[in-house]
Amino acid sequence: MSSHISTPVFRIEVTSSLTNRADIIVTQLPAIGVTGKIPIKVVDLYFLKGNFPEEALREVSQSLLCDPVTDKYTWKQVENGRVSKFNGRNSSESLIIEVMLQPGVTDNVANELKQTAQRIGLNQLEAVVTGTSYHFSGEFSEEMGHKIAKSLLVNRTIQHYYLGEIQPEFIQTSPKIHPLEQIELSKLDDNGLLSLSERRRLALDLNEMRVIQDYFRTENRPATDAELETIAQTWSEHCTHKTFKARINVQDGKDTYSVDNMLKTYLQAATDTINAPWVRSAFVDNAGVIEFDDEFDLSFKVETHNHPSAIEPFGGANTGIGGVVRDILGVSHRPIAVTDVLCFGPADLPHASVPEGTLHPARIRAGVVKGIEDYGNKLGLPTVNGSVTYHEGYISNPLVYCGAIGIGPRDSHPREPQPQDRVIVLGGRTGRDGLRGATFSSLTMDAQTGEVAGASVQIGDPITEKGLLEVITRARDAKLYNAITDCGAGGLSSAVGEMAANLGVRVELSKVMLKYSGLAPWEIWLSEAQERMVLAVPPENLSALIEICETYWVEWSDIGEFESTKRLDVRHADNQVIDLENGFLHTCPRRELNAEVPAKNRTQVAKNQASDLSLSELLLKLLSHPNIASKESIIRVYDHEVRGSTIVKPLVGPYADGPSDACVLKPLETAGWKGFVVANGMNPILGQADAYAMAISAVDEAVRNAVAVGADPERIAILDNFCWGDPLRPETLGTLVQAAQGCHDAAVHFKTPFISGKDSLNNEYLGSDGKQRAIPGSLLISCIAIHQDVRNSVTMDLKESGNHIYMVGEWIPALAGCHALYVGGAALFENSHSLHVSPSLPELAPQVYAALNKVMHKGLVRAAHDLSEGGLVVAAAEMALAGRLGLAIDISALAETPAVALFAETNGCLLVEVPPENEREFESHFKNLPLEKIGMVTNQNTFIINNAQSVLLNLELSELISSFKIFVSTS
């Protein structure tokens, strides 16, 4: 990079009268020791490089950069050298911190500004970079200036900063063709092979490196850098799921057994056993597909973007949404909604407790939420379902699960490229961003990860993806392509390589459209730069596709041809870059691993054992715990109403602040009142005690949440997302095996086929202190279900005083891994046998859910809510506060101590509100099924729990509301 400026560069400053961005910084300053009222001004910076007159600068500023109501602008020409280093203490604005993206990092605002300027005739504009200037009034030392910048304003993975006025840096490019690096493997010993894998961050073990070495010995030549990188991403854990496909020798106490391919043995086997005729595609495409009606199918995919979000939260989450939306495009469907499930470290963690090289959890949360909001809202897709979990295990390893739902005409997705089809790349240009993302996601992070893996992080461009979405939809309807996939992990290497796996392909990399020149061939081939799709297009259809692309301003390039060669042939300006047999490339050596199932320690997550809380105090503490308390401050950032298809929203009740069990949507493309439901289940705290129980509970909770709003229990499909630590550690792998077994058993029990899934392993962090920090094994189960008539949807908020409350389902209390223990209520459960009981697979749940579905669609039910975190009392409290109605519950029928009856957790149970006039018919549907009438809705604004005429709890509704909404009121 060079700071020498030959062409004039102009600095435009835009200042808004709105203070929201400054206010956010003010609230964060006390956490780093800055107190008092600190006036802050935030200024947007635009650096324009080009020879243009003053009137052109004025036009750009007024027409493109400013809101005439709220903004003011100034401009000046930039001179060589910075204006000042540090402004000192005597200025009225004693501290100026200016922040800018590193050269080469995607700058969407700059890209849009340049394109728009050219469209209005400002062709003199050569380049644009943007930044932000923060002006702090008061007395600050230079040391404090750096602390504020590093702690609050800058992510040094993708940004740099300066105290004073920053000098713009424009990326320096080179037109030269980089020579291929030849890597001689034949003479390397085992240490040399491992050193090579580590040096290039290939994430390959010794056996895999030996297999590669033998291949090139047979070829009698060295490997090229591009070939080695291609093999590494194709064989990565992220792409190949090596652990799930391995042969695993399991030691379970005195018993030993082997599992040959967990993916087939447990997950795919469950789907095969159920054999649901309405499953259209499972485990074979970018997303799972189910039948919606006679004309349309639905698709669903959930991905993880954990490692990228740890080092660059905004970009990681942003591209997580962008990537999973492209998965939906990859099955030729139109995306219609997105989901997010997030796991963070405690937001109130002292800064001194943050490991070196790790961002503070509050900062990770803010960036992740902003990244999801930015992408979904700009694409015009509602964010309709999700959850947030806080746990110490996520401090260095946040989990970001991003999901997308799509719809498409039946049988509209072609899958087979044909010889002579052109290899067409649509959408964004290729840059250096996103290199080695697949292998990066397969490695354990450490304190230096952010520095060495910055190129693995990408910034999304939802505006480009919006155009891509429109092009793909129209190309599909016109039947212009024979196959399609997205450029995800591994970039063109993965997309083109997988499409040609059973055929063959010849690619010319010099035809790939680049963000800037100077990329090495392997970088062009491996880059995951966002918003790109690859299509196999018959030559005769190319002109029609180009016409559609031009209509939506989507760039395209023809980079090669599919052939019947069974080889991957990649060139750059006629220089051979890759020449590999597909049979070798797509046959990753199978691993043989050892697993040890740990002895169940069902109370290990209990903390603060000596806590002495009353029943009322424990309830309020649970309601205010971040895992249970309202997520409204996050949900309100997203748009869950756009497209007008969301029937049941994430927040329900007369004040729209109750936590909905699931969301119901009615596709705009379809006739009638049939809709679909999206829900999820997740409980990593239980997983620390019993991984098998966690899995069956996650499946049951997802199903139960869907049933609670009216979903048809016979038309539910599920997805698995496993996030785990290092699978080479036997005890870690043992819990993963347990969870996979639980997934199989629960799916078969509920007849809910798996249609897609994903695993993200090695979610660990090696601190500079040598301490290994692993996440708790975390399994997300997402479900998509058919709702036969959305007009009969049910929400969880209480509706009317005088109605009765029933508990349906088998109530089998369990305290292992329960939230009451997690928040410090152990003293209430001393000597309870339930402490050693895990939530089990409820035998009668399928029949209970079927009966509940019938009474819902008969209009007999006014509200329903599942029992999950916090047990019966939390579920009842949430229904009351959401409906702003009182509730009186009698737990006499539950043969347990009051604490166990109220706070134990169980599977298979829901609370249901039924009007008196519907009771007899309602009860008739539950003949021979577990059913208890336990309470009544009142208009007293009180929440009362009785036991044999003894009052156990008597709280004002306002107390429940204030505890539940504590983070809304303070955010």
Side-chain angles (χ1 to χ4, degrees), residues 8 58 65 88 299 328 343 412 471 524 537 559 574 579 656 658 689 705 845 849 891:
R58 185 174 294 109
L65 303 181
S299 54
I328 298 302
C343 301
S412 62
V471 168
I524 300 172
V537 180
I559 68 168
D574 294 325
D579 183 15
N705 281 331
Y849 298 164
I891 61 169

Side-chain angles (χ1 to χ4, degrees), residues 313-622:
F314 176 89
N318 196 247
T319 53
I321 292 293
V324 77
V325 166
R326 289 195 308 278
D327 282 328
I328 298 302
L329 293 177
V331 293
S332 303
H333 279 196
R334 171 178 282 276
I336 56 175
V338 296
T339 70
D340 69 317
V341 173
L342 313 174
C343 301
F344 303 120
D348 58 355
L349 186 75
H351 279 260
S353 300
V354 178
E356 181 183 353
T358 297
L359 297 174
H360 191 279
R363 190 165 175 198
I364 291 175
R365 179 182 64 183
V368 165
V369 171
K370 183 64 178 176
I372 292 168
E373 171 211 354
D374 177 82
Y375 218 103
N377 289 7
K378 286 180 179 176
L379 274 184
L381 296 176
T383 302
V384 295
N385 185 251
S387 67
V388 185
T389 298
Y390 297 88
H391 189 280
E392 296 82 355
Y394 303 124
I395 290 173
S396 299
N397 290 273
L399 302 184
V400 178
Y401 300 88
C402 300
I405 303 99
I407 192 167
R410 178 170 294 191
D411 298 325
S412 62
H413 174 48
R415 293 181 173 91
E416 297 295 333
Q418 301 299 315
Q420 300 182 341
D421 280 353
R422 304 305 302 172
V423 182
I424 305 298
V425 181
L426 301 180
R429 294 191 171 208
T430 300
R432 204 167 266 120
D433 45 332
L435 290 175
R436 298 192 176 110
T439 51
F440 164 59
S441 296
S442 304
L443 292 167
T444 294
M445 295 193 297
D446 55 33
Q448 285 73 48
T449 294
E451 298 176 20
V452 302
S456 298
V457 176
Q458 308 148 72
I459 302 298
D461 183 1
I463 303 304
T464 294
E465 187 144 312
K466 175 62 175 172
L468 192 61
L469 187 158
E470 301 300 336
V471 168
I472 297 300
T473 303
R474 283 154 181 79
R476 174 203 69 196
D477 293 343
K479 301 185 185 304
L480 298 182
Y481 57 86
N482 286 326
I484 182 172
T485 194
D486 73 311
C487 278
L492 293 171
S493 171
S494 175
V496 177
E498 290 177 7
M499 289 178 73
N502 298 316
L503 194 61
V505 69
R506 176 173 43 83
V507 172
E508 175 51 62
L509 292 178
S510 63
K511 301 294 185 182
V512 177
M513 301 188 72
L514 305 178
K515 295 179 179 180
Y516 35 81
S517 59
L519 272 67
W522 79 264
E523 293 177 318
I524 300 172
W525 183 238
L526 269 293
S527 169
E528 294 179 26
Q530 293 287 299
E531 289 76 46
R532 298 176 304 158
M533 301 292 294
V534 177
L535 281 67
V537 180
E540 62 272 18
N541 294 345
L542 191 54
S543 60
L545 178 63
I546 293 170
E547 184 177 349
I548 298 173
C549 290
E550 291 174 346
T551 300
Y552 290 94
W553 295 81
V554 171
E555 292 187 317
W556 64 277
S557 53
D558 182 344
I559 68 168
E561 183 177 345
F562 289 98
E563 302 175 324
S564 301
T565 59
K566 303 290 186 180
R567 297 190 73 86
L568 178 63
D569 178 357
V570 181
R571 302 164 187 258
H572 187 273
D574 294 325
N575 294 315
Q576 189 79 53
V577 174
I578 297 171
D579 183 15
L580 293 173
E581 294 178 1
N582 277 343
F584 166 73
L585 179 60
H586 296 284
T587 307
C588 176
R590 287 191 65 195
R591 288 181 169 179
E592 182 159 343
L593 304 174
N594 296 315
E596 295 178 9
V597 175
K600 291 182 174 61
N601 186 6
R602 294 191 173 99
T603 59
Q604 70 178 52
V605 296
K607 61 181 183 180
N608 301 324
Q609 295 288 335
S611 298
D612 189 13
L613 299 172
S614 69
L615 297 176
S616 297
E617 289 170 335
L618 182 54
L619 170 59
L620 296 179
K621 192 168 185 178
L622 281 165

Side-chain angles (χ1 to χ4, degrees), residues 213-229:
Q213 183 184 56
D214 289 344
Y215 176 81
F216 284 101
R217 278 175 174 163
T218 302
E219 292 279 302
N220 195 29
R221 64 177 177 87
T224 68
D225 52 2
E227 288 174 327
L228 200 55
E229 296 283 353

Side-chain angles (χ1 to χ4, degrees), residues 79-126:
E79 304 294 337
N80 283 331
R82 296 176 172 87
V83 175
S84 61
K85 182 180 180 184
F86 180 69
N87 284 14
R89 294 189 176 189
N90 298 321
S91 167
S92 61
E93 292 176 343
S94 66
L95 175 62
I96 297 177
I97 303 174
E98 298 199 336
V99 180
M100 187 177 294
L101 291 169
Q102 302 280 16
V105 174
T106 300
D107 188 336
N108 288 322
V109 175
N111 293 340
E112 287 296 318
L113 177 57
K114 185 176 180 181
Q115 292 178 17
T116 306
Q118 291 173 343
R119 290 173 191 172
I120 63 175
L122 194 64
N123 297 317
Q124 306 99 318
L125 184 58
E126 294 182 16

Side-chain angles (χ1 to χ4, degrees), residues 654-672:
Y655 290 84
D657 58 2
S660 182
D661 289 290
C663 283
V664 181
L665 293 95
K666 162 68 179 70
L668 302 179
E669 295 85 348
T670 64

Side-chain angles (χ1 to χ4, degrees), residues 689-856:
D690 189 333
Y692 179 86
M694 174 184 67
I696 63 173
S697 296
V699 173
D700 180 58
E701 184 182 11
V703 171
R704 197 166 2 114
N705 281 331
V707 170
V709 296
D712 183 348
E714 295 182 358
R715 291 288 301 277
I716 298 178
I718 57 178
L719 289 71
D720 63 86
N721 284 89
F722 293 85
C723 288
W724 241 254
D726 183 359
L728 299 183
R729 188 183 299 114
E731 60 271 23
T732 300
L733 184 57
T735 60
L736 184 61
V737 172
Q738 283 184 299
Q741 292 168 341
C743 283
H744 171 274
D745 294 351
V748 172
H749 183 65
F750 290 109
K751 295 184 173 57
T752 51
F754 286 100
I755 57 170
S756 182
K758 194 71 174 177
D759 59 271
S760 171
L761 308 180
N762 298 291
N763 287 282
E764 301 198 0
Y765 185 86
L766 179 61
S768 56
D769 57 3
K771 184 178 180 181
Q772 196 87 7
R773 297 172 174 87
I775 66 166
S778 304
L779 170 67
L780 170 66
I781 297 294
S782 304
C783 82
I784 186 166
I786 298 300
H787 198 301
Q788 300 296 350
D789 190 334
V790 298
R791 294 172 296 181
N792 296 328
S793 298
V794 175
T795 57
M796 54 78 65
D797 50 302
L798 296 180
K799 303 300 190 301
E800 188 175 357
S801 63
N803 289 345
H804 288 127
I805 300 298
Y806 287 82
M807 183 168 69
V808 301
E810 301 164 84
W811 188 73
I812 305 173
L815 290 172
C818 77
H819 272 67
L821 289 179
Y822 186 61
V823 304
L828 289 168
F829 308 105
E830 283 187 299
N831 302 319
S832 172
H833 74 279
S834 296
L835 282 169
H836 307 289
V837 176
S838 297
S840 57
L841 193 59
E843 181 182 354
L844 298 176
Q847 296 95 306
V848 170
Y849 298 164
L852 183 58
N853 182 255
K854 288 180 181 178
V855 295
M856 283 180 169

Side-chain angles (χ1 to χ4, degrees), residues 615 618 815 820 825 827-829 873 891 896-904 952:
L615 297 176
L618 182 54
L815 290 172
L828 289 168
F829 308 105
V873 68
I891 61 169
E896 285 287 348
T897 64
V900 172
L902 293 176
F903 297 104
L952 302 173

